[in-house]
Amino acid sequence: KEEEKTVTHIVIMGTGEPLDNYDALLRFIELLTCEGGLHISQRNVTVSTCGIVPAMRKLADEKLQITLALSLHASSQEKRKSLMPVANKYELPDVLEACDVYFEKTGRRISFEYTLIRGKNDSVAAAEQLANVLNSRLRSRNDTMPIHVNLIPVNPVEQTGFDRSDNKAVKAFAAALEKKGVRATVRRKLGADINAACGQLRRAEQKKQS
């Protein structure tokens, strides 16, 4: 008999942006955490966002006990714009200020997601700049705010031109963050061998339709 598994943690993320479907997101969280639903603790629910500033501030006012995960991927506005189209609408300082507001109103930490791309954003200098930005814009305003960066070596997707950082570069990047007082965890590689990792499914489906 296959061992039954209990779901204890939920991460809401994907190709879509959760905060663009705000009302449905809140309803889903309610169903996950209420006694009549899965009754999962709000503290075990993470919502990922690319940085929709008005919705981040609105979510802060809800004063939920969920964790907010920000897809950051760069430490400067110009570099972020080259990697993430959303950065053409929301400036990095405004995104980080929304993170600060979220922490102040909820007391819940922010996780920063940072995809490492060979030759684009994976140098030790980039890590030092990232640590400086996070420390100066967040920790200097509230020294009790925990800062944690999840490092995600990019998954290979044909035609993106993005290559995965090698293990040496990943370790050096994490060490540079830790040296400046920023906790870092390297995300495990899962699913890339069957094109089921982050970013790969959508590209495969697009190729089918083209």
Side-chain angles (χ1 to χ4, degrees), residues 5 8 12 27 31 35 41 55 59 91 100 120 122 152 154 162-164 168-169 173 180 193 198 204:
K5 296 182 179 180
T8 59
I12 305 170
R27 177 58 177 158
L31 292 172
E35 290 188 13
S41 170
L59 188 64
E91 297 284 329
D100 185 66
K120 298 285 187 180
D122 64 344
I152 312 164
V154 71
F162 292 163
D163 293 323
R164 185 182 182 87
K168 182 178 179 181
F173 197 99
K180 286 185 169 289
D193 56 329
C198 182

Side-chain angles (χ1 to χ4, degrees), residues 167-183:
N167 289 336
K168 182 178 179 181
V170 172
K171 290 179 180 179
F173 197 99
L177 290 178
E178 296 277 359
K179 187 176 181 180
K180 286 185 169 289
V182 175
R183 290 184 57 203

Side-chain angles (χ1 to χ4, degrees), residues 143-198:
D143 60 10
T144 65
M145 182 177 183
I147 297 177
H148 185 271
V149 177
N150 285 318
L151 299 175
I152 312 164
V154 71
N155 292 308
V157 179
E158 188 180 350
Q159 297 175 340
T160 64
F162 292 163
D163 293 323
R164 185 182 182 87
S165 300
D166 61 37
N167 289 336
K168 182 178 179 181
V170 172
K171 290 179 180 179
F173 197 99
L177 290 178
E178 296 277 359
K179 187 176 181 180
K180 286 185 169 289
V182 175
R183 290 184 57 203
T185 300
V186 179
R187 182 82 58 83
R188 287 187 301 157
K189 180 182 178 182
L190 295 171
D193 56 329
I194 58 171
N195 287 329
C198 182

Side-chain angles (χ1 to χ4, degrees), residues 41-45 62-68 102 105-108:
S41 170
Q42 285 189 6
R43 290 177 174 268
N44 292 346
V45 176
E62 306 286 350
K63 297 184 179 178
L64 302 175
Q65 286 300 291
I66 61 175
T67 297
L68 191 64
Y102 186 83
K105 292 190 174 182
T106 67
R108 297 292 292 155

